Amino acid sequence: MLGYIAKRIAFMIPMLFGITLISFLLMHMAPGSPTELYTELNPKVGAEFRERFEAYYGLDKPLPVQYVTWLGRVARLDLGISFSPDKRPVWDKIRERLPITLLLNLLSLVLILATAVPLGVISAVRRGSQFDRTTTVLVFAGFSVPSFWLALLLMKWLGVDLGWLPISGLESLGAANLPPLARFWDRVQHLILPVFVSAVGGLAGISRYMRGSMLEVIRQDYVTAARAKGLPEWRVVYVHALRNSLLPIVTLMGFWIPALIGGSVIFETIFAIPGMGQLFYQSVMARDYPVIQGILLLGSGLTLLGNLVADVAYALVDPRIRFGRT
């Protein structure tokens, strides 16, 4: 097992370099530059200031030199200094926002698994029933609805019209002065809409995969043999069939984690949540290259780590994977 994990980690290193190189090139090929953004709207800025600005941040050097210089800093665990007026270290900015994004994505993942797996199992066991048809319609509706449209609709309905839930930020004004329990409830209310919107797409997709996987497993001979032994139906479904039907879901979750992190840019911006997604959006608009590169590097690392965890979990469940028999 250790050999399998070592091979997977060795495979991740060139992939991480490839992701950083492609993202670096795409970012510099995009229209606009930090120099134009910070100087063109100021008539008092001359050519000399532009040259000093580019020289200070190394933007006057060829792209390969800039990339190698950035990699050298990363190797020393230094992500550089932000181009924004506060000139703070990039790592400090990311470190402040990363826990919020991780919390939102963890809550979304728990909601997806807690809802999608039972829905998929019940739909498969009651195939063709009213419950199956209803959930199929709802799931496809949820899968096809754009996240930003759903977010705006819920904000208008639940937040503005009914006033049941807050529609922005993580805390109400003055929440720091509330008793601990009231402050906790205030935070929960602020998280309900972002977590739900973030989980809808994953919930719809995972429940459909779970239903398909369960349908395939319950047709296997060993499930028929379990029924022939006279075992109760719940034991056949939830003990003998469920474990094997979860195998494709374990792999799928490894690919779904990057989608959750990427989706943070949309719902954190819409709900004004001060997480990593909102920081990424603001940095792209400001052409703040060091922050963009730092977030892309961290996001790529988390994505590859998620895939590694999924592969290891799959290999633990099915030993043929780590011995290369499939």
Side-chain angles (χ1 to χ4, degrees):
M1 190 65 188
L2 290 178
Y4 174 77
I5 296 175
K7 281 197 294 185
R8 291 289 294 112
I9 293 176
F11 180 72
M12 287 166 52
I13 294 173
M15 189 176 293
L16 185 60
F17 275 113
I19 292 172
T20 59
L21 178 60
I22 292 172
S23 59
F24 178 85
L25 292 176
L26 288 177
M27 186 175 56
H28 282 79
M29 288 167 62
S33 70
T35 309
E36 295 173 0
L37 195 68
Y38 290 114
T39 59
E40 282 200 346
L41 295 179
N42 188 349
K44 297 180 181 177
V45 172
E48 184 183 352
F49 177 84
R50 293 192 183 92
E51 291 175 1
R52 288 209 319 262
F53 182 89
E54 292 185 345
Y56 180 79
Y57 289 109
L59 298 173
D60 56 342
K61 296 183 174 57
L63 285 184
V65 176
Q66 292 185 42
Y67 180 68
V68 172
T69 303
W70 177 72
L71 279 183
R73 285 203 305 266
V74 170
R76 300 191 299 273
L77 303 179
D78 177 13
L79 296 178
I81 303 296
S82 169
F83 288 174
S84 61
D86 60 15
K87 299 187 185 308
R88 295 181 60 204
V90 173
W91 176 240
D92 287 352
K93 293 184 130 184
I94 293 177
R95 189 174 54 188
E96 287 175 359
R97 307 224 181 185
L98 182 61
I100 297 171
T101 300
L102 290 179
L103 173 66
L104 287 170
N105 284 286
L106 181 63
L107 293 174
S108 299
L109 196 60
V110 171
L111 179 61
I112 289 172
L113 291 177
T115 310
V117 171
L119 273 182
V121 172
I122 296 173
S123 293
V125 173
R126 300 181 181 179
R127 184 186 182 189
S129 66
Q130 184 64 36
F131 178 84
D132 184 31
R133 289 195 292 272
T134 304
T135 53
T136 298
V137 172
L138 293 176
V139 161
F140 277 106
F143 200 65
S144 57
V145 171
S147 297
F148 70 92
W149 183 84
L150 180 63
L152 294 175
L153 179 69
L154 293 177
M155 289 168 73
K156 171 73 168 54
W157 180 39
L158 298 177
V160 178
D161 294 343
L162 299 177
W164 289 353
L165 294 171
I167 59 174
S168 66
L170 283 177
E171 285 185 347
S172 302
L173 288 175
N177 300 321
L178 294 173
L181 192 59
R183 189 176 183 185
F184 172 76
W185 178 239
D186 181 70
R187 177 66 66 92
V188 170
Q189 287 182 309
H190 280 79
L191 287 175
I192 289 175
L193 282 181
V195 170
F196 177 75
V197 172
S198 172
V200 164
L203 190 155
I206 296 295
S207 66
R208 287 296 90 185
Y209 280 110
M210 188 67 214
R211 178 181 181 275
S213 177
M214 195 68 182
L215 281 175
E216 185 178 343
V217 170
I218 58 178
R219 295 193 188 107
Q220 299 293 321
D221 291 340
Y222 72 90
V223 175
T224 305
R227 286 198 177 105
K229 289 179 183 175
L231 294 177
E233 185 63 19
W234 68 266
R235 188 176 177 85
V236 173
V237 172
Y238 294 104
V239 177
H240 292 269
L242 182 59
R243 180 178 174 182
N244 286 333
S245 66
L246 284 173
L247 284 175
I249 305 302
V250 171
T251 303
L252 200 61
M253 291 308 299
F255 295 102
W256 211 274
I257 292 173
L260 284 174
I261 296 174
S264 302
V265 177
I266 298 174
F267 67 80
E268 285 184 7
T269 303
I270 292 176
F271 288 104
I273 294 175
M276 209 167 63
Q278 188 194 55
L279 177 64
F280 183 76
Y281 174 78
Q282 293 170 346
S283 302
V284 169
M285 299 306 291
R287 304 296 189 274
D288 196 344
Y289 291 163
V291 177
I292 298 172
Q293 289 172 256
I295 293 176
L296 287 174
L297 176 67
L298 193 61
S300 305
L302 290 174
T303 300
L304 294 175
L305 184 63
N307 289 334
L308 175 66
V309 171
D311 288 345
V312 171
Y314 202 109
L316 285 172
V317 176
D318 188 351
R320 293 175 301 173
I321 300 297
R322 61 176 183 265
F323 291 118
R325 294 177 186 171
T326 59

